[in-house]
Amino acid sequence: MPHLLPSESVNVSGDPRFEPLQWSERSGCAHGRSTRFRAIGTMLGTCCAIVLSNAADPVLACRNLMQFYKHESCGQCTPCREGCGWLDRLLSKVVAGTATLEELDLVSEVASNIVGNTICAFGDGAAGPVLAFVQKYRSSFEDYILRGGLNETRTLAL
C-alpha cells in the first residue's frame, strides 16, 4: 500500500498559506481507511482528499470538479449520467450568477439522489464532494447568486 513518506510531505517554505502536511500523522488515515473522514462528516469517495489554499474559491473548485466527473462518467447508469450533467449545468449557472437560491437547493437534492443509486461507486464519488462543498461553503455559493456571479477577485488557482 502506498504511504506518504516524511520526505514526500507537502512543504512550501516561506508561504504562510501552506504548512507541512503529513498524511498519516495529520489525518490519522492510512490508505484505505476513511473512518476518521466519516466521523467529521465527509468522505474519501475516490480515496482522495481535496486540498485547497485559502486563496482558492470553493465555488470554482466545486464546478471544476463536477466538470471532471461529468466528463469521466461512463454514462451507463442514468443517475450518474444525467445527475453529473445536471449538476454541472446548475453549478455553471451559480458561477455565472444566473442561478436562484432554489437551484442551489436543487444541487444538494440532485447530488443526494445520485448517492447509492448507481451501478458502481463513481456516482457516490462524484456526488459526495458536491454535497460537502455546498454544506461547508454555502455562504460562498449564495454570494455568487446574490452578487451576480464570477468577478475578477475570485480565482481557482493560487
Side-chain angles (χ1 to χ4, degrees):
M1 278 196 253
H3 287 272
L4 184 63
L5 302 173
S7 62
E8 299 170 322
S9 68
V10 176
N11 187 0
V12 182
S13 181
D15 191 331
R17 296 174 297 173
F18 296 91
E19 60 183 76
L21 173 65
Q22 282 296 318
W23 182 257
S24 59
E25 291 175 19
R26 200 36 115 46
S27 67
C29 182
H31 181 71
R33 292 186 51 201
S34 59
T35 52
R36 176 169 261 176
F37 283 87
R38 283 190 199 109
I40 60 171
T42 190
M43 63 179 253
L44 285 175
T46 54
C47 287
C48 297
I50 298 170
V51 180
L52 301 171
S53 80
N54 61 357
D57 187 306
V59 177
L60 295 178
C62 184
R63 187 204 39 188
N64 184 59
L65 191 61
M66 188 44 55
Q67 288 173 330
F68 167 78
Y69 280 118
K70 177 188 166 208
H71 180 266
E72 293 300 313
S73 172
C74 75
Q76 186 173 356
C77 57
T78 304
C80 188
R81 178 184 65 244
E82 297 300 321
C84 288
W86 197 356
L87 289 170
D88 179 44
R89 289 188 301 277
L90 287 168
L91 292 169
S92 292
K93 285 183 74 173
V94 169
V95 170
T98 59
T100 64
L101 292 173
E102 290 78 20
E103 287 174 310
L104 179 57
D105 293 333
L106 188 57
V107 168
S108 295
E109 186 179 332
V110 170
S112 293
N113 285 329
I114 294 172
V115 175
N117 291 311
T118 57
I119 295 169
C120 73
F122 185 86
D124 290 1
V130 173
L131 290 167
F133 268 106
V134 173
Q135 178 187 1
K136 296 180 186 314
Y137 301 104
R138 185 171 180 93
S139 62
S140 295
F141 285 86
E142 290 174 351
D143 185 57
Y144 265 83
I145 293 167
L146 299 174
R147 296 183 187 260
L150 183 63
N151 66 43
E152 67 278 349
T153 63
R154 296 174 171 155
T155 180
L156 178 58
L158 298 176

